[in-house]
């Protein structure tokens, strides 16, 4: 049985389940691999492309249900 953990709240000082049982272990490993394999210049280029894409997107309107 897997425990329900709110990582944002319970794991601010590290995973409360320990590194071996952390439900986000695969994500953490993938992020570490990305950081090791990607140059800082490439990361900056990716961030700039994402920023420009967001700037060119049309605004998103969120209307309340009770209107």
């Amino acid at each position: 049985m897997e425990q329900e953990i709110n990582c944002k709240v319970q794991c601010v000082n590290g995973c409360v389940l320990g590194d071996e049982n952390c439900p986000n272990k695969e994500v953490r490993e993938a992020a570490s691999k990305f950081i090791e394999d990607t140059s800082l210049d490439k990361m900056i280029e990716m961030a700039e492309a994402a920023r420009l894409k967001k700037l060119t997107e049309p605004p998103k309107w969120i209307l309340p249900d009770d209107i």
Side-chain angles (χ1 to χ4, degrees):
M1 182 173 102
E2 194 171 304
Q3 278 183 294
E4 288 294 319
I5 298 290
N6 183 344
C7 294
K8 281 185 175 181
V9 174
Q10 293 176 285
C11 301
V12 293
N13 295 318
C15 186
V16 295
L17 299 176
D19 287 341
E20 292 302 314
N21 297 320
C22 180
N24 296 314
K25 183 178 180 181
E26 294 82 20
V27 176
R28 189 177 66 233
E29 289 171 356
S32 293
K33 182 170 177 25
F34 173 80
I35 291 169
E36 287 176 21
D37 295 346
T38 309
S39 72
L40 183 58
D41 289 336
K42 181 66 176 172
M43 286 186 212
I44 292 170
E45 181 182 313
M46 293 167 71
E48 181 64 12
R51 186 184 75 83
L52 291 174
K53 181 181 176 188
K54 187 156 185 94
L55 285 174
T56 60
E57 288 179 352
K60 294 180 180 147
W61 297 94
I62 300 173
L63 299 174
D65 292 334
D66 58 353
I67 287 183

